[in-house]
Amino acid sequence: MDTQNETRVNLVKALQALQKTRQKLTALEAAQHEPIAVIGMACRFPGADSPEAFWELLCQGVDTVQAVPTERWNMADYYDPMPGTPGKSYVREAAFLTKIDEFDPQFFGIAPREATSMDPQHRLLLETSWEALERAGQAPTALRNSKTGVFVGVTPSEYILRLDEAQRTDTYVTTGNSVIFAAGRLSYVLGLQGPNLVIDTACSASLIGIHLACESLRRGSSDLALAGGVHLMLSPHGHVAMSQMQALAPDGRSKAFDAAANGFGRGEGCGIVVLKRLSDAVADRDPILALIRGSAMNHDGPSSGLTVPSATAQATLIRRALENGQVDASEVQYIEAHGTGTALGDPIEVRALAAVFGERATPLLIGAVKTNIGHLEEAAGIASLIKVILAMQHQEIPPHLHLHHPNPHIDWATTNVRIPTDRTPWPAGKKVAGVSSFGLSGSNAHVVIEEAPVRTEVTTEKDRPCHLLTLSAKDTQALRELAQRYHKFLQQQPESALGDLCYTSHAGRNHFAQRLSLTATSLAQLQANLAIYATGQSSPDIMQGSAPEHQAPAKVAFLFTGQGSQYSGMGRELYETQPTFRATLDRCDVVLRESLGRSLIELLYPTTAPTHDELLTSHVWGQVATFALECALADLWRAWGVQPAVVLGHSLGDFAAAYTAGVFTLEDGLRLVTTRGRLMETAVGRMVAVMASAAEVVPWLAGYADVTVAVINGPKSVVIAGGQTSVTQVTDQLQ
């Protein structure tokens, strides 16, 4: 090669390397700003034990503040109306949860003796996290050993103060009351191996947990995340301490942005969201409730006092969150404010909002959930976030309470903000909102939320004729109560998709010892069957039984056969009714039109009497049709939640097995099968070449085949081994 040509070759190589580097940088930059999908959420707030109940409470403008329940403490022993009285509180009211002493420890594998020493906050966190996962369609057992992170704000235990000296020496007191075990136990019970973190920055803890979870997902240290917070008032000491600081409103109510604002009212609760990268949530067809576009955290820095907020720091924080989410300030329509209702904090917060959102054509709407349920401290931010997600889903902003005379220290005339005191339709356009939380010690967080994307899934021409609903519980009474909840849910949600409901009950839930299955062709029939079961009657559509409590989940093998079984019309009903099956065949059709000049779909499913049967029996078309149908069937089973632990291929089936195992893409597999059909003796060489070029594909199953091809090592190796694979090998893999 002469010098000129060598230089040209080197330049081409350098340009190719530069292009690859740019592509990697672009991908890295995109990953840093990828939206995070909220795929599930659950809550226990004053007056509401579910997101649905919480929304009703918000819409109706309910104030949940009440007198301190006697089972918490005797307020008469600690009350004095005079602020500053040592050891006394001038506040007798707050917003409380009910039934916090009710807990089923054995459901979580916890001994009753251990549970007795556990802070109810830890118990509440377990229950709410489990419910959030179920609402997200994530079966907890499927998350074992996964990169699922836990990021929660937890209030330092007050429960230990209720224990006498003898009880405090119990073995389980330390693990039951230290905040680090609140998160640690959650990961332990669920078997999670992602990051595990407790945040205690007081008021901003749960929203900082959201921010850290988003960062973890974008970095790849988590593939799924549980984030939120919990706060309970179990002793009078918090009331007394806050009263000594004169931080509380005497009437126990947060009157945010009102002239009467004179401190915050306390509240308690627990909220958890399940988070996932948007690309993964879309690929996995998860329910997407909303998107977290951006987030940020900072500190007030040199404010005028340790507990005094800073308008400059708050404005900087919001701008950083917008920048992180690549959102312009003009796109934001609503801010769920920190809004504690303090004479000092409220004007500072509005000044910060005006600095960021002041120049806009329409007013910025603001509100604060603390006017309904009080200040939940470590759980305050998650309550605000859940409120915003619900408001976006219902396209309505609920009323802000206790605003009668706007705070005169806020310049309302020049500040372009408005506080809705009645139910207000969400402004037209893409729904974007911000959520703020400011910590007492100066640690702040802000999160930018966007409404869930519109789903563009292909709809089915006709549904399958019958569906199977599977329910299970730890005992027969719990099973009956679960069936009753489904019956009630269907009464409230008569437009539910029967197929989605049944799929989630099977693939998105743990399966316990007591089991119930119901078949139905419609929601009405399912409702009728649930009613029959409730009365104890029998029906051929209802089956009840039990399984061993600790039976390991069954492992499944997929066997892919060779050529010879294909025929015209094979799988037509699946193609017409099942989007996943159809999508895989359509992808094959695109490739084969280009490579073979004919439509696979027209060949398999002719609109008139078939005239090309001889093509389906030919070497090339017979092989590509068999491969395409096998891959489409495998994709359909997996979409239904049936995941193989091992795949086995015979002859041509080797290629479908390798595709299912993740060795190569569908398109690469088709090209290999086409080559095999044309020239069998070159297939092995081409297969090795394709796998070598697909080095970044990480296989995820163990596989077996009849032809010696390659051995690829990964987290779960795919072995395409030589020789006739014995049933023993497959059986060993399944055990």
Side-chain angles (χ1 to χ4, degrees), residues 339-381:
T340 52
T342 61
L344 179 63
D346 287 358
I348 289 176
E349 183 168 9
V350 174
R351 284 205 302 273
L353 293 174
V356 178
F357 301 103
E359 297 181 6
R360 54 189 297 123
T362 57
L364 177 71
L365 302 179
I366 64 173
V369 73
K370 293 178 181 64
T371 61
N372 298 94
I373 59 174
H375 186 0
L376 271 54
E377 301 175 32
E378 277 77 0

Side-chain angles (χ1 to χ4, degrees), residues 661-729:
V663 174
F664 45 60
T665 66
L666 182 68
E667 290 74 14
D668 284 340
L670 276 171
R671 296 183 184 101
L672 287 167
V673 171
T674 304
T675 301
R676 184 183 193 271
R678 286 173 168 168
L679 195 58
M680 279 289 294
E681 60 267 23
T682 65
V684 170
R686 284 290 302 275
M687 189 170 185
V688 172
V690 169
M691 287 190 289
S693 67
E696 295 184 1
V697 174
V698 180
W700 58 278
L701 289 173
Y704 299 94
D706 291 335
V707 182
T708 301
V709 179
V711 176
I712 300 178
N713 293 319
K716 295 185 178 178
S717 297
V718 174
V719 182
I720 301 179
Q724 181 67 36
T725 302
S726 69
V727 175
T728 303
Q729 286 179 283

